């Protein structure tokens, strides 16, 4: 498509026709961001997801330009998000040092990963193309990977790390598997 989403410092999201260089619209609706947009993500399911320093993730019907759902995701700015290929599960990370996994149909948190899984704040998350693996990295300069679960963790269980922790030796700001 010819649509480009642009997130701005005060929480506005604009849609542009990148081929003509003209702004189509600014997104609006019942929910709006009140702080800078940290991440925008178009899903295969046809929605636009936005993560913001206002601690929320908003789901947009970008074709109508309206917000359709808000997830009060974290207690600190949301740094990054990832969505499964089928558009049913959202992963978010934040300066609150948590990675959270959400069921988008119910807006319920399935589980979270805390500092027992990694050190420092997480700045980036990614899902593999088959949704089998979750990768994360951030302030510590280490890359972490786990086998990804799309259902709640059984009580007392933890996610299995896929590989040893990889020292990247510098703060990680962004990661992405080839999809």
């Amino acid at each position: 498509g010819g649509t480009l989403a642009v997130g701005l410092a005060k929480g506005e999201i604009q849609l542009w026709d990148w081929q003509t260089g003209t702004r189509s619209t600014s997104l609006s609706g019942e929910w709006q961001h009140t702080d800078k947009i940290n991440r925008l993500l178009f899903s295969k399911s046809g929605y636009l997801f936005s993560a913001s320093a206002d601690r929320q993730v908003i789901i947009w019907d970008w074709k109508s330009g309206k917000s359709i759902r808000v997830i009060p995701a974290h207690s600190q700015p949301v740094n990054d998000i990832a969505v499964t290929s089928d558009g049913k599960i959202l992963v978010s990370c934040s300066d609150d040092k948590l990675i959270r996994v959400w069921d988008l149909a119910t807006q319920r948190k399935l589980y979270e990963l805390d500092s027992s899984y990694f050190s420092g704040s997480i700045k980036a998350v990614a899902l593999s193309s088959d949704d089998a693996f979750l990768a994360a990295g951030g302030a510590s300069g280490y890359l972490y990977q786990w086998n990804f679960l799309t259902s709640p963790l059984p009580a007392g269980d933890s996610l299995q790390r896929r590989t040893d922790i990889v020292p990247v030796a510098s703060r990680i700001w962004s990661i992405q598997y080839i999809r």
Side-chain angles (χ1 to χ4, degrees):
T3 301
L4 176 70
V6 178
L8 302 176
K10 294 191 178 186
E12 181 183 4
I13 300 171
Q14 299 174 348
L15 297 181
W16 287 76
D17 180 326
W18 63 268
Q19 294 167 328
T20 64
T22 57
R23 185 170 79 176
S24 319
T25 190
S26 289
L27 299 183
S28 61
E30 184 176 347
W31 299 286
Q32 294 285 315
H33 287 296
T34 58
D35 206 339
K36 76 174 179 164
I37 305 298
N38 289 330
R39 177 75 157 106
L40 294 169
L41 174 68
F42 284 103
S43 72
K44 290 181 182 178
S45 57
Y47 295 110
L48 174 65
F49 293 81
S50 58
S52 171
D54 68 8
R55 305 179 310 273
Q56 299 183 103
V57 174
I58 297 179
I59 304 166
W60 304 86
D61 177 347
W62 65 272
K63 290 178 183 172
S64 72
K66 301 293 181 195
S67 59
I68 57 172
R69 203 173 307 146
V70 65
I71 298 173
H74 290 274
S75 64
Q76 295 291 318
V78 181
N79 295 323
D80 198 11
I81 52 177
V83 178
T84 56
S85 300
D86 62 8
K88 294 181 179 181
I89 306 292
L90 170 82
V91 178
S92 61
C93 68
S94 169
D95 285 343
D96 63 10
K97 300 180 180 178
L98 295 171
I99 298 172
R100 290 187 168 155
V101 178
W102 304 90
D103 179 324
L104 290 171
T106 64
Q107 293 180 248
R108 188 174 58 95
K109 180 177 64 175
L110 294 174
Y111 59 92
E112 67 184 28
L113 305 178
D114 60 19
S115 60
S116 66
Y117 287 90
F118 52 81
S119 62
S121 64
I122 296 296
K123 299 293 184 183
V125 291
L127 292 170
S128 61
S129 60
D130 59 0
D131 299 325
F133 302 106
L134 167 64
S140 69
Y142 289 99
L143 177 64
Y144 304 89
Q145 292 186 87
W146 300 275
N147 293 328
F148 184 62
L149 294 179
T150 58
S151 58
L153 279 174
D157 278 6
S158 60
L159 278 189
Q160 179 183 354
R161 194 174 305 132
R162 177 181 177 204
T163 60
D164 288 336
I165 298 168
V166 178
V168 177
S170 185
R171 180 183 206 124
I172 296 170
W173 289 101
S174 183
I175 56 176
Q176 183 67 50
Y177 288 101
I178 293 177
R179 289 188 73 87

